Amino acid sequence: MSELKKGPFWITNTLTRKKEEFVPQAPPHVGLYVCGPTVYSDVHLGNVRTFTTFDLLYRWLLHLGYKVRYVRNITDVGHLVGDIDEGEDKIAKRARLEQLEPMEIVQKYTNGFHAVMRQFNVLSPSIEPTATGHLIEQIDMVKRIIDHGYGYEANGSVYFDVPKFAEKHAYGELSGRKIDELMSNTRDTEGMDEKRSPLDFAIWKKADPIHLMKWPSPWGEGFPGWHLECSAMSTKYLGLTFDIHGGGMDLKFPHHECEIAQSIAADGQAPVRYWMHGNMLTVNGRKMAKSEGNGFTPEELVTGNHKLLERGYSPMTVRFFMLQCHYASTLDFSNAALQAAEKGLERLMKAVQTLNSAKASGNSNGAYTSALNVIEELAYGHMNDDLNTPRMIAVLFDGVTEINKAVDGGGVARGFNEAELGRWKKFYSEMVFDVLGLQQETATAGDDTAMDGLVKVFIQLRAEAKAKKDFAASDRLRDQLLALGIVLKDTKEGTTWERA
RNA sequence: GGUCGCGUGGCCGAGUGGCUAGGCACAGCUCUGCAAAAGCUGCUACUGCGGUUCGAAUCCGCACGCGACCUCCA
């Protein structure tokens, strides 16, 4: 099995649009870069999906034994609002609205972002660089682009010369665009622009006097262009060419396309070997986006305090909901789907709990060894096939049925010996907790000994009532406990309890 | 308008040209004083029309419907 675990890992490279075997540049090291959030407002569930997707990738790479340097940036400057001529820094705009310092906004929403990531059990990256912390690197990159003839200054701003770049390089390769098609499809609102071509994009932008976030540069006071930070920081921490770059589908063009162009222009080599893009979370078939106003925050999700939500759902329910769909497919949000996921997750987690507290009966005929062999092989196969979590989870559920069949009400796993049971426990714990990143959300019966003892007193009272055939009394006890969130279950081996 | 993608059973959602995805819901049964849980059984779909093929949900074409990107967006 150990060989199989390592077994070839295939991922869809959106650059070639094909599944390719993943082979790191310098095994066992893997360089992974993911575009992080712009911290000018709360993250919504769509953002969470992308970070969950790459969290899954990160976890799988770690599980396969790779040493991963995972860089996920915080964009705290530079993206413009609206069209370029009256462009305004999003963060600065928000700062004025809230009467705060720009860096206060950055701090506030960075904190919020981190809190959400913790809620959804998304692992921290190895490095989380900020754009403002890498001005020198960005300015330096602009210089290199100019030196190589692909950037030009105009009125204090510096633009990337796309047509010139396209003469020698494949601009549009990632997003499948052709330069002349782009030309003819340009929206014609440029007019008095400083750009030589409408396709050109700013790599350094002059700051107007009222602009709050600005830095000195060889071209005057300004701020870095939209796409530059990722190029500068990925180069700094992962090298000129690194293994995997991830992000949401919506960043493919122009953001990632521009990253490629910048890196090639500055340093002469393509920055990324494998591009991966996560698909969108939709609501009623439409992309969830801040600009659509159809997004909701994780807090609204948990409390259910939003018009799209019939009630609240836990973060793990949502994580599981997302994992039941392949990362490259759009996923449509709905209350019914969430409720289904909630039930499914409960079934899975209960089985894991049952498994973990089970004791082996000792009399094994090896059936559960071969069953696990099959499950393991399938699960690894599916994960290695472009992170096919829906199929992997389906396999997990096959095992859940086996577990439920084997473990009796007294917690004895019939037909298992110690070693077998240990293997099952290890496998399920690795897949469910380490790889899928799910966690137990409700306190378990054994967590609180006082509580457990208390409930057992009631169970004893009820057993006495039952023995006297006083079912009215026994049912009343059960109902009253249920009202407090305690569920009693009568089994052949006695009564057990759990939280609802 | 251009580029790309999608259209699967009551719902969500996988899918390799031929062999049961899975989850949820629903129905019946077993267990049970009743219930809950669990197990068993049933529910067999692939937008439409052509084509390729011994055979297509899976390949090709056309039509219809939907979406993403083309502007900040995960």
Side-chain angles (χ1 to χ4, degrees):
Chain A
M1 196 63 210
S2 55
E3 282 309 305
L4 225 156
K5 279 189 185 183
K6 283 280 185 188
F9 176 34
W10 291 71
I11 54 180
T12 298
N13 187 347
T14 39
L15 187 64
T16 58
R17 287 171 212 185
K18 282 190 204 132
K19 266 185 210 172
E20 295 176 8
E21 184 179 342
F22 174 67
V23 182
Q25 250 182 157
H29 299 280
V30 174
L32 170 64
Y33 188 94
V34 172
C35 291
T38 305
V39 283
Y40 64 90
S41 66
D42 290 314
V43 290
H44 63 246
L45 216 57
N47 302 298
V48 171
R49 185 180 182 203
T50 296
F51 298 124
T52 301
T53 293
F54 291 103
D55 183 53
L56 175 76
L57 172 66
Y58 180 44
R59 286 167 180 273
W60 188 244
L61 289 168
L62 291 176
H63 185 74
L64 291 177
Y66 290 115
K67 299 196 182 314
V68 186
R69 179 177 290 170
Y70 177 18
V71 182
R72 190 186 63 206
N73 66 293
I74 293 279
T75 295
D76 55 356
V77 67
H79 286 200
L80 300 181
V81 165
D83 82 311
I84 199 166
D85 294 317
E86 46 196 34
E88 184 175 21
D89 192 307
K90 273 183 180 169
I91 290 159
K93 181 178 180 181
R94 194 66 197 240
R96 234 163 287 138
L97 287 173
E98 300 192 7
Q99 301 288 303
L100 293 167
E101 272 298 316
M103 286 314 279
E104 236 177 317
I105 296 291
V106 164
Q107 191 66 54
K108 174 180 170 186
Y109 289 111
T110 300
N111 290 347
F113 170 66
H114 286 155
V116 169
M117 291 299 100
R118 269 195 301 278
Q119 243 188 323
F120 285 85
N121 202 24
V122 172
L123 298 175
S124 299
S126 331
I127 301 176
E128 192 169 54
T130 61
T132 53
H134 297 76
L135 263 300
I136 294 182
E137 287 83 353
Q138 293 179 75
I139 289 169
D140 200 58
M141 191 157 194
V142 174
K143 283 186 197 161
R144 273 178 281 149
I145 292 170
I146 293 174
D147 289 348
H148 294 165
Y150 292 112
Y152 58 90
E153 186 189 346
N155 190 27
S157 293
V158 182
Y159 294 97
F160 190 94
D161 193 333
V162 172
K164 180 162 185 197
F165 178 80
E167 283 171 20
K168 286 189 181 170
H169 305 280
Y171 183 82
E173 195 186 5
L174 177 69
S175 53
R177 268 154 238 255
K178 296 191 171 52
I179 197 92
D180 14 316
E181 283 169 0
L182 284 169
M183 282 290 199
S184 59
N185 282 323
T186 306
R187 294 185 188 182
D188 195 25
T189 51
E190 304 293 333
M192 44 166 286
D193 204 41
E194 297 157 344
K195 295 193 278 188
R196 291 179 191 165
S197 158
L199 300 186
D200 293 352
F201 56 90
I203 47 182
W204 184 264
K205 191 74 182 141
K206 180 185 181 176
D208 57 51
I210 58 157
H211 211 93
L212 293 176
M213 292 184 108
K214 56 191 167 190
W215 293 265
S217 81
W219 317 281
E221 295 241 301
F223 52 94
W226 317 326
H227 316 297
L228 199 68
E229 58 177 282
C230 291
S231 296
M233 297 190 292
S234 63
T235 300
K236 172 159 183 166
Y237 297 112
L238 299 173
L240 293 178
T241 298
F242 58 94
D243 293 309
I244 305 176
H245 187 129
M249 285 281 288
D250 49 354
L251 295 183
K252 228 170 163 183
F253 188 89
H255 185 62
H256 292 331
E257 202 69 70
C258 293
E259 278 187 48
I260 294 174
Q262 286 165 350
S263 288
I264 293 174
D267 302 308
Q269 49 182 290
V272 177
R273 302 174 65 238
Y274 303 87
W275 283 91
M276 289 180 81
H277 290 93
N279 216 133
M280 301 292 103
L281 181 68
T282 61
V283 178
N284 294 324
R286 298 196 164 265
K287 174 185 169 185
M288 183 181 284
K290 286 169 186 171
S291 52
E292 291 265 343
N294 62 355
F296 40 80
T297 64
E299 195 194 323
E300 290 165 334
L301 176 88
V302 172
T303 59
N305 185 23
H306 190 281
K307 62 177 190 292
L308 288 167
L309 297 162
E310 284 170 11
R311 60 177 176 81
Y313 303 95
S314 76
M316 282 307 111
T317 293
V318 175
R319 185 170 174 115
F320 185 69
F321 166 67
M322 290 173 173
L323 291 171
Q324 275 192 300
C325 169
H326 187 76
Y327 76 86
S329 301
T330 55
L331 173 62
D332 198 53
F333 169 89
S334 73
N335 283 279
L338 262 290
Q339 279 160 31
E342 190 176 69
K343 286 290 192 63
L345 175 65
E346 191 190 333
R347 182 169 144 82
L348 176 64
M349 294 310 254
K350 243 185 206 168
V352 171
Q353 213 174 298
T354 301
L355 176 67
N356 282 337
S357 52
K359 290 179 181 57
S361 65
N363 55 334
S364 162
N365 62 6
Y368 288 106
T369 293
S370 30
L372 185 61
N373 286 345
V374 172
I375 289 171
E376 272 193 346
E377 191 173 331
L378 289 173
Y380 277 88
H382 290 140
M383 285 304 286
N384 278 329
D385 181 14
D386 202 21
L387 302 172
N388 196 329
T389 48
R391 297 198 82 172
M392 188 272 231
I393 290 170
V395 170
L396 251 32
F397 274 111
D398 289 342
V400 164
T401 303
E402 295 302 314
I403 292 165
N404 285 333
K405 263 196 278 199
V407 181
D408 66 23
V412 176
R414 305 205 174 276
F416 275 87
N417 64 34
E418 277 303 328
E420 273 177 324
L421 191 61
R423 263 189 76 203
W424 275 74
K425 288 180 183 180
K426 180 164 183 281
F427 173 74
Y428 266 83
S429 150
E430 284 178 353
M431 290 301 121
V432 173
F433 301 122
D434 301 344
V435 172
L436 296 180
L438 299 169
Q439 49 194 186
Q440 209 84 49
E441 287 181 310
T442 47
T444 57
D447 274 2
D448 183 335
T449 49
M451 183 64 162
D452 191 44
L454 210 57
V455 175
K456 280 191 175 139
V457 170
F458 285 107
I459 288 174
Q460 179 58 36
L461 284 171
R462 181 162 164 272
E464 286 163 14
K466 278 172 72 176
K468 283 185 271 182
K469 301 256 188 242
D470 185 359
F471 296 124
S474 75
D475 286 353
R476 195 167 57 242
L477 267 169
R478 185 174 59 196
D479 292 345
Q480 284 172 336
L481 286 173
L482 182 64
L484 297 170
I486 307 292
V487 182
L488 299 189
K489 297 196 294 188
D490 295 334
T491 72
K492 280 178 192 158
E493 288 78 13
T495 301
T496 62
W497 73 278
E498 65 190 27
R499 289 177 195 271

